[in-house]
Amino acid sequence: MENQLAKSIEERTFQYQDSLPSLPVPSLEESLKKYLESVKPFANEEEYKKTEEIVQKFENGVGEKLHQKLLERAKGKRNWLEEWWLNVAYLDVRIPSQLYVNFVGPCPYFEHYWPAKEGTQLERGSIILWHNLNYWQLLRREKLPVHKSGNSPLDMNQFRMLFSTCKIPGIARDSIMNYFRTESEGNCPTHIAVLCRGRAFVFDVLHEGCLITPPELLRQLTYIHKKCSSEPVGPGIAALTSEERTRWAKAREYLIGLDPENLTLLEKIQTSLFVYSLEDTSPHVTPEDYSQIFEMLLSGDPAVRWGDKSYNLISFANGVFGCCCDHAPFDAMVMVNIAHYVDERILETEGRWKGSEKVRDIPFPEELVFTVDEKILSDIYQAKAQHLKGASDLQIAAYTFTSFGKKLTKKEALHPDTFIQLALQLAYYRLHGRPGCCYETAMTRYFYHGRTETMRSCTVEAISWCRSMQDPSTSLLERQQKMLQAFEKHNKMMKDCSNGKGFDRHLLGLLLIAKEEGLPVPELFEDPLFSRSGGGGNFVLSTSLVGYLRVQGVVVPMVHNGYGFFYHIRDDRFVVACSAWRSCPETDSEKLVQMTFHAFHDMLQLMNTAHL
């Protein structure tokens, strides 16, 4: 009886959205106290004293007024940050988003049934497409399980942004168009866009109300591939999406002005479920070395990526897959979820299609033929050139540490995420001889439309431990104690951030209120220590745990002299992907990864020796 009852009241993906708590505004006093603590590792006594005075003045003066205004704003909005964050972090940003903002990741299938193999691109592509479309249907029917932490449901809004979502460039600010609807909300687009050799195609994924099968998808892909292989390369309109945002906005306006039909074609790509990219290259990838596939995902042919689409599914000539996603509409956990879902299906079916081979008489894909002129062709040429120039400056080191993983750190009662973060602090300290201000993503999905908060991993405790590790006169016991203190501090901060008690977004809110009110920028934000400690997005280490599944990802560094450092954790291994810029003489992603791996060993040794 109980089981039947449970089945009849099956949870729907978005059913808790209306009952989630609003995003809280932390107390001003608490936020400023935490901020002061976070700048300590980067200041001498005199600098710290000056910052302390600035903070004091802010708290007793304009800060209190701004805080009251922020509380007022929060009364009228379930998430006071949402719109601001979207604009400041993404839509107002003018640098090319495809290389500098989007996140990418390889699909994990090469580890089991689908190792790299030439000639498998289309057949595997038809299977992977089919699984992706099944996930879309689950979402449409709200059958995707609600994410929870314990018994608390988490916000699922970002999952609405995975399909049929596209960023539209604007002269000063971009916008996001989302055409996804659940079945109960009504109709939504049912076609995908395919990009191949500078050309664009669309076809419907439903036929007579049902999903088309892998053999039918294979027929569509084969048609496109053959056509593009035997005919001239297309103009590569997609490359424009890799441009600086204002330039792309102007080029888009010009393109639409050339021929109104161009707008109709652009809209077909914008509304498509996602973009499927057929690449001609074959990246090397093994379960131990992901470096080359990451480079190709970030720097691959811009004429077969629609940089503004929330989801580009990329297929390489050797049957290896990956994705390139616009970061504005969602964070990486959405992509991790669908990649894991598809991975599980491929494992279950041994990478094969076991259904009917029958191919119905479905319409062939439609090619989107844009009207172009010399100016547009010149814009495309320039977009490709600047993309390839930026991409050639990228250095990526992505390797697997196989000596141990989550199992062993858990056995030592050490949180595996904190373990990696502290190892990275030690590696950076050893490599650069100074503390590295660090952004770690903390998720705030306990709250309505919650996304992220900044967790600053470079704590006083972490640096005190790093110094002890470099000081031969420090005893093993003292090193161990300092390490455990650093662990405790990190874990507490992460908990605070996830519970809406971080301070970075709060300070951002106060700054934006000042701007909206036409007030001068408060001194707190002009203080050199503000940016030296990472404020205003100046973190030299931009990091995130990608999760505990087989899925990995990376983005480029936040600053020119910084690193992007992303990792996932498994029972028996840690997989790390690190990005840096070659043109910066002081950063080296290869060295940082190797030193982090050394730090893993040192930390474990410290625990083992201390037991003796």
Side-chain angles (χ1 to χ4, degrees):
M1 179 67 193
E2 267 180 15
N3 276 346
Q4 281 175 338
L5 197 66
K7 271 183 188 154
S8 67
I9 50 169
E10 197 180 8
E11 288 184 331
R12 295 187 324 282
T13 306
F14 303 112
Q15 82 176 56
Y16 298 110
Q17 288 304 108
D18 290 340
S19 57
L20 290 167
S22 298
L23 184 72
V25 177
S27 99
L28 182 62
E29 188 189 351
E30 278 295 300
S31 286
L32 293 175
K33 202 169 109 188
K34 287 173 178 170
Y35 167 65
L36 270 177
E37 220 171 295
S38 78
V39 305
K40 258 189 191 151
F42 310 97
N44 59 33
E45 250 175 82
E46 195 185 325
E47 290 168 325
Y48 182 73
K49 216 167 174 45
K50 187 165 188 267
T51 295
E52 215 172 15
E53 284 164 16
I54 292 171
V55 167
Q56 195 69 52
K57 198 172 120 191
F58 179 78
E59 188 175 354
N60 300 329
V62 69
E64 180 52 41
K65 289 192 188 78
L66 297 172
H67 182 66
Q68 287 310 320
K69 285 200 179 347
L70 187 57
L71 290 172
E72 276 304 306
R73 175 188 170 92
K75 274 184 196 163
K77 292 181 184 287
R78 293 191 59 192
N79 186 320
W80 57 266
L81 177 67
E82 182 177 18
E83 189 187 331
W84 272 347
W85 181 248
L86 199 56
N87 290 338
V88 172
Y90 301 112
L91 303 182
D92 293 343
V93 175
R94 299 290 86 197
I95 54 174
S97 44
Q98 191 162 313
L99 184 60
Y100 300 100
V101 183
N102 289 17
F103 60 85
V104 301
C107 302
Y109 330 126
F110 68 86
E111 287 193 29
H112 40 82
Y113 287 106
W114 287 357
K117 186 182 174 194
E118 294 299 329
T120 59
Q121 182 180 25
L122 301 180
E123 191 185 343
R124 287 177 182 180
S126 67
I127 294 171
I128 191 180
L129 273 174
W130 193 73
H131 291 309
N132 271 274
L133 295 170
N134 275 298
Y135 185 95
W136 165 69
Q137 284 205 325
L138 284 178
L139 209 49
R140 282 262 295 146
R141 292 168 184 162
E142 289 199 69
K143 293 205 180 301
L144 196 69
V146 180
H147 290 190
K148 294 190 177 175
S149 176
N151 289 325
S152 308
L154 300 177
D155 184 274
M156 296 295 286
N157 183 56
Q158 292 179 53
F159 284 85
R160 301 184 68 94
M161 312 305 273
L162 175 58
F163 296 107
S164 298
T165 303
C166 195
K167 193 163 65 184
I168 311 296
I171 300 296
R173 172 183 286 173
D174 299 343
S175 53
I176 292 176
M177 299 301 283
N178 172 250
Y179 307 89
F180 174 80
R181 301 286 175 271
T182 61
E183 278 187 353
S184 63
E185 289 164 350
N187 291 333
C188 84
T190 56
H191 65 282
I192 65 167
V194 180
L195 298 179
C196 181
R197 299 196 176 177
R199 296 165 74 171
F201 299 81
V202 288
F203 64 84
D204 212 303
V205 297
L206 295 181
H207 184 64
E208 293 166 351
C210 297
L211 276 186
I212 61 176
T213 62
E216 290 165 341
L217 286 161
L218 178 60
R219 170 183 178 259
Q220 303 295 64
L221 293 180
T222 306
Y223 170 84
I224 292 169
H225 196 257
K226 270 192 178 151
K227 202 168 166 56
C228 294
S229 304
S230 60
E231 296 172 13
V233 171
I237 294 287
L240 293 171
T241 67
S242 70
E243 241 316 351
E244 186 272 342
R245 303 305 298 168
T246 304
R247 277 210 288 272
W248 161 217
K250 287 176 178 167
R252 186 177 181 275
E253 279 180 6
Y254 180 82
L255 186 66
I256 294 165
L258 262 185
D259 181 347
E261 179 62 18
N262 283 343
L263 176 59
T264 310
L265 304 182
L266 286 168
E267 282 172 347
K268 285 188 179 175
I269 296 171
Q270 284 160 207
T271 55
S272 66
L273 299 183
F274 52 88
V275 163
Y276 186 71
S277 306
L278 283 162
E279 278 267 11
D280 288 333
T281 51
S282 294
H284 169 78
V285 60
T286 69
E288 289 73 47
D289 182 357
Y290 296 65
S291 307
Q292 196 181 36
I293 189 166
F294 270 122
E295 278 189 15
M296 287 195 173
L297 285 168
L298 271 167
S299 62
D301 181 0
V304 293
R305 315 282 168 85
W306 202 267
D308 294 345
K309 269 308 261 188
S310 57
Y311 182 15
N312 288 269
L313 176 56
I314 295 161
S315 95
F316 291 102
N318 57 349
V320 173
F321 297 85
C323 70
C324 173
C325 303
D326 175 30
H327 210 324
F330 58 74
D331 300 312
M333 59 84 201
V334 173
M335 209 57 239
V336 170
N337 195 268
I338 185 172
H340 177 63
Y341 167 86
V342 176
D343 195 34
E344 291 291 293
R345 301 294 82 76
I346 286 172
L347 278 167
E348 277 170 17
T349 56
E350 298 164 335
R352 298 204 303 276
W353 165 246
K354 296 176 177 182
S356 159
E357 292 298 323
K358 186 173 175 282
V359 175
R360 293 169 294 176
D361 186 21
I362 49 180
F364 279 114
E366 171 202 350
E367 182 165 9
L368 308 181
V369 183
F370 288 88
T371 303
V372 297
D373 65 3
E374 283 310 311
K375 184 191 173 320
I376 284 290
L377 293 174
S378 151
D379 286 347
I380 291 169
Y381 178 81
Q382 187 191 336
K384 283 183 181 172
Q386 71 79 29
H387 177 77
L388 297 172
K389 182 173 182 278
S392 65
D393 190 23
L394 197 59
Q395 182 205 15
I396 293 199
Y399 303 114
T400 304
F401 175 85
T402 53
S403 306
F404 57 86
K406 182 174 78 174
K407 254 196 185 126
L408 201 56
T409 55
K410 287 280 230 200
K411 196 176 140 201
E412 295 288 352
L414 299 173
H415 194 298
D417 174 60
T418 314
F419 185 88
I420 292 183
Q421 285 287 335
L422 288 176
L424 174 61
Q425 284 298 322
L426 181 57
Y428 186 91
Y429 191 84
R430 284 171 168 170
L431 186 58
H432 294 283
R434 58 176 186 272
C437 56
C438 181
Y439 169 106
E440 181 184 2
T441 310
M443 70 95 187
T444 52
R445 288 173 62 211
Y446 290 112
F447 305 102
Y448 179 78
H449 288 193
R451 286 187 63 167
T452 60
E453 173 61 89
T454 302
M455 210 317 279
R456 297 194 183 198
S457 315
C458 187
T459 58
V460 170
E461 290 81 354
I463 295 307
S464 171
W465 168 65
C466 289
R467 288 194 179 117
S468 77
M469 293 296 282
Q470 295 302 89
D471 177 0
S473 68
T474 314
S475 71
L476 283 175
L477 185 63
E478 197 183 332
R479 282 178 182 173
Q480 193 206 15
Q481 281 170 338
K482 283 184 183 295
M483 182 171 90
L484 294 177
Q485 281 163 358
F487 262 91
E488 201 180 329
K489 178 60 181 265
H490 190 103
N491 296 344
K492 182 186 180 317
M493 281 170 60
M494 182 52 93
K495 200 172 168 186
D496 276 358
C497 286
S498 297
N499 287 322
K501 292 182 180 136
F503 68 84
D504 268 86
R505 304 286 187 269
H506 185 192
L507 290 184
L508 173 68
L510 298 175
L511 174 62
L512 293 175
I513 286 270
K515 285 187 176 169
E516 278 189 7
E517 298 283 327
L519 298 169
V521 171
E523 192 184 359
L524 174 84
F525 302 100
E526 312 254 282
D527 175 16
L529 260 189
F530 178 73
S531 56
R532 203 187 308 157
S533 63
N538 285 295
F539 292 96
V540 295
L541 292 166
S542 163
T543 75
S544 197
L545 162 64
V546 185
Y548 295 88
L549 306 164
R550 271 188 298 272
V551 185
Q552 182 57 15
V554 81
V555 299
V556 304
M558 277 188 181
V559 290
H560 187 248
N561 63 331
Y563 298 94
F565 190 94
F566 298 79
Y567 51 93
H568 77 259
I569 292 170
R570 298 195 221 170
D571 283 348
D572 62 342
R573 65 188 55 201
F574 301 128
V575 181
V576 164
C578 180
S579 60
W581 297 110
R582 295 180 198 277
S583 56
C584 176
E586 57 179 272
T587 54
D588 186 331
S589 53
E590 288 279 343
K591 276 187 187 159
L592 188 66
V593 170
Q594 295 313 325
M595 291 189 92
T596 305
F597 288 0
H598 282 303
F600 291 161
H601 285 297
D602 291 350
M603 288 165 78
L604 193 70
Q605 201 176 359
L606 196 56
M607 290 306 291
N608 291 340
T609 320
H611 289 325
L612 299 176

